[in-house]
Amino acid sequence: MARGFVTAEEVAKRAGVSRSAVSRTFTPGASVSQAVRRKVLKAARELGYRVNRLAQGLNNDRSNLIGVVGANLSTPFHAKQLDLLSIGLLRRGLQCLLLNAADARKDIAPLIELLFEFRAQAIIVLSGDPPESIVDQCIANGVRLILINQKIDRTDTSMVLSDDSRGADLAALRLIEARCKKVAVISSGSQTPAQVRRTTAFKQKMATAGVEVVAWSGGTTSYESGYQAGCELLVDEAIDGAFCVTDLLALGFLDAARTEMHRRVPADLSVVGFDDIPQAGWKSYELTTVAQSFSALTERVLEALEADEMETRLQVVPVAMVERKTARR
Amino acid sequence: MARGFVTAEEVAKRAGVSRSAVSRTFTPGASVSQAVRRKVLKAARELGYRVNRLAQGLNNDRSNLIGVVGANLSTPFHAKQLDLLSIGLLRRGLQCLLLNAADARKDIAPLIELLFEFRAQAIIVLSGDPPESIVDQCIANGVRLILINQKIDRTDTSMVLSDDSRGADLAALRLIEARCKKVAVISSGSQTPAQVRRTTAFKQKMATAGVEVVAWSGGTTSYESGYQAGCELLVDEAIDGAFCVTDLLALGFLDAARTEMHRRVPADLSVVGFDDIPQAGWKSYELTTVAQSFSALTERVLEALEADEMETRLQVVPVAMVERKTARR
DNA sequence: CAAAAAAATGCACACGTGCTCAATGCTTTA
DNA sequence: TAAAGCATTGAGCACGTGTGCATTTTTTTG
């Protein structure tokens, strides 16, 4: 057998029919007789014929490709999200063209431009915010743009995001319930919009409740940063509560508190996280945290993808407190 | 501006040149005068022109797409691997078409066939083993197939895998060094080839050393399975060592041992894992484990991708013991 | 300045597919 | 049986691009 793929032409020749017949056989709803269909399918099977989707896409200008751009994909949060998303896309007959932006936030602009070249039907941004000009190009080219946990001030873009401020409020209320007198709020140095929203909402709620808040931020959104935060903050013995805007930070913080700074949790210190990644439920942590609904998030994203018109631009997904063992009752 | 993308034709018209000139402007090494090039670039910029890669791929039969198929992508191990892989592909100018096989092992055959339709240049399989017939089709169509941590008995396929049996030996030696008298070996019920290799090599090594081994396997490759294994196995008080063929299992096992079964690690019980996922280094665990080199694995994969001929089919990546605190000295 | 060499340019084809349109064959109706 | 209706079929165009080939323009050489 010659190198390369079999074309519809060759199948047609072998089956003794026209190329049109082959095309019709593989096009649902087209008009072909049973006899011809059978001959074509037989020949196709023998030759190992596969429709060429590139040619298909070129023709009817539907590539079936959905661009997914993100960064830090090994982070439990993003990994979980990508996992569900890629399954959902496949289930709906869409293909997932994944572009990983290494780390820098500003890398995503060229990646989106690359997706234009592949005529992606839609682009899903997992993290990082696209510059204004890119958004313009998307609508100019008729490419749907969907941002996850990212809010920009435009009405022509779909955004799906968890209710960060509500979640931060829940966290605040929980720490107040734990009778904390002085609490820390920990975020990473990358200052993603989601983290900023959580931080400010938390501060505000605590301010109205008259609880003292110290803010810490630094490093990447990682276990290590949380650990570092714990080591630096907990030299202050007055701190008896902490809200980590990300579970990963919270787990690092917890370990620092227990191992390095000798705090008993939740007796001496109450800790609340955000995300509810799988590790938060592990026995060594049992972190009390604000859960994002991964499934609801991806469900909304897929809906936004299929909606004929972008009737609802902004989808806010509710969050829920999951009670475990790191906050005092 | 009209809906849809700008074509080279339109750019040519605006720049007052032929379409060929446009094509050549964007083809490195083609012959165009500076004057024309400038005019074309100007027009392209104004119109927002992007080369259509689908058409490009159709023409010269290089799609630039690399298919990546896998399952359980939110697992720390696979997530890390996918992260590095997607970055590496992008860096080499290749695009990553990701197909997530939900969970079933047998789902990957249709996914690979789907990749044929997109004329993927190569297919990287992260997990699950492709049936013989699929492999045949790959070589028939000139699609390079690369399996990670999967070994099949063929000489026409690239395989990149960690040195499982060596790793299992290291684990065995370490538990012998810890003076264990009766050890457990824990694997998941899915019985992936990698897990089988590790289990059998471990058993064999222990047998020659005259140490009693009990094998446990069940559930999925998850924290929960490890936890369950711990609860079930450790009712036997004689067990003083365990080799979990995956870190995820090991972490669950550890938590069960400490929390539920009240063992002191490593005083009463030595535990060794395999993989060295990020969580293994967290302070609550500090798992002694056999490290796979993620970077080396992906490096070999990318090399196999670019190699002109598949000169080296089988790449075995060395593993290394990382000493932490769950095995007695 | 003339001739030769080199560079630049446009035309036309190929890539593999879906779909329209006219033509053909088959079935139903009067 | 003839006419009319309908399902089936094949030819040909369009999609957007890269490139070989012949032609024209520019540069270099003697």
Side-chain angles (χ1 to χ4, degrees):
Chain A
M1 184 178 296
R3 187 179 192 75
F5 284 87
V6 177
T7 86
E9 186 79 47
E10 307 178 44
V11 175
K13 184 169 293 177
R14 179 172 188 115
V17 297
S18 77
R19 195 187 56 73
S20 299
V22 178
S23 175
R24 279 191 253 266
T25 301
F26 291 99
T27 304
S31 171
V32 218
S33 70
Q34 282 300 326
V36 171
R37 161 175 245 107
R38 255 195 300 275
K39 279 194 292 184
V40 169
L41 288 177
K42 180 161 175 287
R45 192 162 1 94
E46 290 167 354
L47 263 48
Y49 170 71
R50 311 266 166 214
V51 175
N52 185 335
R53 295 249 192 174
L54 302 181
Q56 225 173 31
L58 177 59
N59 190 343
N60 54 18
D61 152 32
R62 313 203 78 239
S63 64
N64 253 261
L65 292 174
I66 305 294
V68 175
V69 344
N72 296 103
L73 265 34
S74 56
T75 289
F77 178 76
H78 285 130
K80 185 72 186 169
Q81 191 146 297
L82 179 60
D83 193 10
L84 290 180
L85 190 59
S86 55
I87 290 177
L89 287 174
L90 201 56
R91 198 164 280 159
R92 290 166 201 238
L94 296 169
Q95 269 56 50
C96 171
L97 196 48
L98 176 66
L99 301 189
N100 187 344
D103 50 359
R105 312 199 69 65
K106 284 307 160 197
D107 281 2
I108 81 166
L111 295 190
I112 293 185
E113 304 203 351
L114 187 55
L115 286 173
F116 287 155
E117 301 187 356
F118 279 95
R119 298 300 187 258
Q121 289 183 2
I123 296 177
I124 299 172
V125 178
L126 295 180
S127 58
D129 58 334
E132 198 80 5
S133 65
I134 290 284
V135 181
D136 288 336
Q137 289 184 55
C138 279
I139 62 167
N141 291 322
V143 174
R144 195 161 301 188
L145 183 64
I146 301 174
L147 308 179
I148 301 186
N149 275 342
Q150 194 86 18
K151 192 170 166 186
I152 61 175
D153 194 22
R154 296 186 64 133
T155 62
D156 49 18
T157 306
S158 297
M159 288 160 280
V160 177
L161 38 91
S162 284
D163 197 341
D164 289 311
S165 53
R166 170 74 182 145
D169 283 356
L170 288 175
L173 288 172
R174 187 63 187 79
L175 290 177
I176 291 168
E177 183 190 344
R179 296 182 303 282
C180 295
K181 298 284 182 288
K182 183 175 184 181
V183 302
V185 53
I186 291 100
S187 59
S188 82
S190 58
Q191 295 295 341
T192 68
Q195 294 198 15
V196 172
R197 282 196 300 276
R198 293 170 197 175
T199 306
T200 56
F202 180 81
K203 280 183 189 165
Q204 188 178 339
K205 192 77 174 182
M206 280 314 208
T208 64
V211 178
E212 189 182 356
V213 175
V214 300
W216 188 98
S217 96
T220 60
T221 308
S222 64
Y223 172 91
E224 286 73 20
S225 298
Y227 193 86
Q228 190 188 342
C231 294
E232 294 182 8
L233 281 169
L234 295 177
V235 294
D236 179 352
E237 306 219 335
I239 291 180
D240 57 356
F243 172 45
C244 301
V245 299
T246 275
D247 276 359
L248 216 45
L249 292 170
L251 300 181
F253 187 87
L254 264 179
D255 275 342
R258 289 170 174 155
T259 316
E260 195 83 14
M261 310 306 288
H262 309 293
R263 295 292 206 289
R264 291 170 306 162
V265 176
D268 304 337
L269 176 72
S270 291
V271 177
V272 175
F274 203 116
D275 282 351
D276 196 25
I277 60 177
Q279 288 79 6
W282 289 3
K283 284 284 176 184
S284 288
Y285 297 104
E286 301 205 86
L287 178 70
T288 296
T289 191
V290 178
Q292 296 195 56
S293 171
F294 290 100
S295 55
L297 277 171
T298 57
E299 205 57 45
R300 297 292 157 278
V301 169
L302 293 173
E303 284 171 13
L305 213 55
E306 291 189 322
D308 290 341
E309 277 306 312
M310 308 195 236
E311 63 274 344
T312 50
R313 324 291 197 196
L314 182 63
Q315 286 276 4
V316 177
V317 176
V319 296
M321 195 73 193
V322 324
E323 193 64 43
R324 292 203 184 93
K325 298 186 179 170
T326 58
R328 193 166 52 177
R329 270 254 95 99
Chain B
M1 183 180 294
R3 189 177 189 77
F5 284 88
V6 176
T7 87
E9 185 79 49
E10 309 178 43
V11 175
K13 184 169 294 178
R14 179 173 189 115
V17 297
S18 77
R19 195 186 55 73
S20 300
V22 178
S23 176
R24 280 191 249 267
T25 300
F26 291 98
T27 305
S31 170
V32 218
S33 68
Q34 281 300 325
V36 170
R37 160 176 246 105
R38 255 195 300 275
K39 280 194 291 184
V40 169
L41 287 177
K42 179 160 174 288
R45 192 161 4 93
E46 290 167 353
L47 265 47
Y49 171 71
R50 311 267 166 214
V51 174
N52 186 336
R53 296 249 192 174
L54 301 180
Q56 223 174 33
L58 178 59
N59 191 338
N60 54 17
D61 161 26
R62 313 203 78 238
S63 64
N64 252 261
L65 292 175
I66 306 295
V68 175
V69 343
N72 296 103
L73 265 34
S74 54
T75 289
F77 178 76
H78 285 130
K80 185 74 186 167
Q81 192 147 298
L82 178 60
D83 193 11
L84 290 179
L85 190 59
S86 55
I87 290 176
L89 287 174
L90 202 56
R91 197 165 279 159
R92 290 167 202 237
L94 297 169
Q95 269 58 50
C96 171
L97 198 49
L98 175 66
L99 301 189
N100 187 344
D103 49 1
R105 312 198 68 66
K106 282 308 161 200
D107 283 359
I108 82 166
L111 295 190
I112 294 184
E113 304 202 353
L114 187 54
L115 287 173
F116 285 154
E117 301 188 356
F118 279 95
R119 299 300 187 257
Q121 289 183 3
I123 295 176
I124 300 172
V125 178
L126 295 181
S127 58
D129 58 333
E132 197 82 3
S133 64
I134 290 283
V135 181
D136 288 336
Q137 290 184 53
C138 278
I139 62 167
N141 292 322
V143 174
R144 194 160 302 187
L145 184 63
I146 303 175
L147 307 180
I148 301 187
N149 275 342
Q150 195 86 18
K151 192 170 165 185
I152 60 176
D153 195 22
R154 295 187 63 134
T155 62
D156 48 20
T157 306
S158 297
M159 288 160 282
V160 177
L161 38 90
S162 284
D163 197 341
D164 290 311
S165 53
R166 170 74 183 143
D169 282 358
L170 288 175
L173 289 172
R174 187 63 187 78
L175 289 177
I176 292 167
E177 183 190 344
R179 296 182 303 283
C180 294
K181 298 284 180 287
K182 182 175 185 181
V183 302
V185 53
I186 292 101
S187 60
S188 82
S190 58
Q191 295 294 341
T192 68
Q195 293 197 17
V196 173
R197 283 196 299 275
R198 293 171 196 174
T199 306
T200 57
F202 180 81
K203 280 183 189 164
Q204 187 178 341
K205 192 76 174 184
M206 279 314 209
T208 64
V211 178
E212 186 181 358
V213 174
V214 300
W216 187 99
S217 96
T220 60
T221 309
S222 64
Y223 171 92
E224 286 73 20
S225 299
Y227 192 87
Q228 189 188 344
C231 294
E232 294 182 9
L233 282 169
L234 295 177
V235 295
D236 179 352
E237 305 218 339
I239 292 180
D240 58 355
F243 171 46
C244 301
V245 299
T246 274
D247 276 359
L248 216 44
L249 292 170
L251 300 181
F253 187 87
L254 264 180
D255 275 341
R258 288 171 173 155
T259 315
E260 195 85 13
M261 310 305 289
H262 310 292
R263 294 292 207 288
R264 291 170 306 161
V265 177
D268 304 336
L269 176 71
S270 291
V271 178
V272 175
F274 204 116
D275 281 349
D276 196 24
I277 61 177
Q279 288 80 3
W282 289 2
K283 282 286 175 181
S284 287
Y285 299 104
E286 302 204 86
L287 178 69
T288 296
T289 191
V290 178
Q292 296 195 57
S293 171
F294 290 99
S295 55
L297 277 171
T298 57
E299 205 57 46
R300 295 294 156 276
V301 169
L302 292 172
E303 283 172 13
L305 213 53
E306 291 189 321
D308 291 340
E309 277 307 311
M310 308 196 239
E311 63 272 346
T312 49
R313 323 290 198 195
L314 183 63
Q315 287 277 3
V316 177
V317 176
V319 296
M321 195 73 192
V322 325
E323 192 64 44
R324 292 205 185 93
K325 298 185 178 169
T326 58
R328 193 165 53 178
R329 270 256 92 100

